[in-house]
Amino acid sequence: MGDQQAMFRGPAEVYDRFVGRYSPGLARGMCTAAGVRSGQRALDVGCGSGALVVALAVILGEENVAGVDPAEPFVEAAQAKVPGARLAVAAAESLPFEDGVFDATLSQLVVNFLSDPDAGLREMARVTRTGGVVAGCVWDYGGGMTMLRTFWEAAAALDPGRARPLMEQHTMRFSRPEELGELWQSNLTGVTVSAIDVEASYETFDDLWAPFPTGVGPAGAYAASLDADAQEQLRDEFRRGLGWPEDPFTLAARAWCAVGTV
């Protein structure tokens, strides 16, 4: 994950207030898309702070769930939520498991942060039994992921020369269904790609904005790089782009989910 990994080394609770607000609903959608069912063993690759580990444990039982993430603070946070799961600090490109030990291997919002996505997917397929399922999802950055799309549109309006090249719809691979499908088809059979739609609730705009200047994720890293005046201008432009929300509000988000068979 290289420099991208550094964006996720902060406290897990900050991530949970940021993109993590969408994670529980997205995790349930992934489990449904992958056909996860009682009696299986499952692996979460890039488990983050544990939303997908929790969703898998509800269906399978904690003892039948494993997970890895390269960031130790996230592994610790996930382990605290699901003490009985087998979690480890490891990269997707080098999974610490034998061949064919899982019925389902899932990766939530991970593949576009991998230094070698093909190697990561080959590893996910390797540790999944023949006939098992590998699933992964990525935000629709340029369309249905309202929060991040609106943030980058605001940044590009104020700072086009610097922000526009950083917009995740341009920098993130696999954020379109055909790209994600091609990655899956290169390693798996019977591939399908479908949308998972979720939402997150906010008490105020400040509730939404607060995690950005902490530097988590690409959008946060950009916000944190600005001086105080530029941050305030970005905050106002972001709020304007969302229609100047005052009362509690929700934002919708769409992810594309690929599912294939080993």
Side-chain angles (χ1 to χ4, degrees):
M1 295 175 73
D3 292 340
Q4 301 259 34
Q5 184 179 328
M7 301 177 188
F8 297 97
R9 286 180 180 152
E13 59 268 22
V14 175
Y15 179 84
D16 285 343
R17 293 178 60 199
F18 184 47
V19 177
R21 291 181 192 251
Y22 300 85
S23 295
L26 189 57
R28 292 189 293 271
M30 280 204 71
C31 290
T32 298
V36 175
R37 59 189 183 277
S38 179
Q40 293 182 327
R41 296 187 66 206
L43 170 65
D44 177 4
V45 177
C47 65
S49 59
L52 183 54
V53 173
V54 170
L56 289 168
V58 169
I59 300 170
L60 306 178
E62 295 185 7
E63 69 279 6
N64 294 312
V65 177
V68 299
D69 196 279
E72 186 173 359
F74 283 92
V75 172
E76 291 173 351
Q79 193 77 75
K81 293 174 183 176
V82 190
R86 178 186 175 188
L87 306 183
V89 177
E93 296 91 341
S94 182
L95 296 173
F97 304 103
E98 296 180 358
D99 296 356
V101 294
F102 298 103
D103 301 291
T105 298
L106 292 76
S107 60
Q108 181 166 307
L109 308 176
V110 169
V111 294
N112 49 356
F113 289 101
L114 300 182
S115 57
D116 190 338
D118 287 298
L121 198 57
R122 285 195 299 270
E123 274 290 271
M124 294 181 214
R126 178 186 65 78
V127 301
T128 307
R129 65 169 176 81
T130 300
V133 168
V134 176
C137 71
V138 174
W139 289 126
D140 178 12
Y141 287 105
M145 208 311 170
T146 305
M147 177 184 73
L148 293 176
R149 175 178 52 79
T150 308
F151 171 86
W152 284 112
E153 288 173 349
L158 296 170
D159 184 15
R162 181 166 171 242
R164 192 168 296 280
L166 298 175
M167 295 175 76
E168 287 161 316
Q169 66 207 70
H170 304 313
T171 63
M172 292 297 186
R173 297 175 62 189
F174 317 120
S175 62
R176 288 178 284 273
E178 59 273 14
E179 293 175 325
L180 188 62
E182 287 173 3
L183 175 64
W184 249 246
Q185 288 164 3
S186 67
N187 294 275
L188 301 154
T189 63
V191 173
T192 61
V193 181
S194 59
I196 300 176
D197 292 309
V198 295
E199 63 180 26
S201 299
Y202 301 92
E203 290 299 318
T204 63
F205 179 78
D206 284 338
D207 187 26
L208 166 64
W209 173 252
F212 280 88
T214 68
V216 64
Y222 174 80
S225 74
L226 303 176
D227 62 32
D229 288 342
Q231 280 189 11
E232 189 63 23
Q233 291 175 358
L234 177 56
R235 178 189 178 281
D236 288 345
E237 182 66 16
F238 186 16
R239 188 178 181 191
R240 186 199 64 77
L242 293 172
W244 300 101
E246 294 282 354
D247 299 321
F249 62 99
T250 62
L251 295 179
R254 168 168 289 184
W256 296 110
C257 180
V259 180
T261 303
V262 177

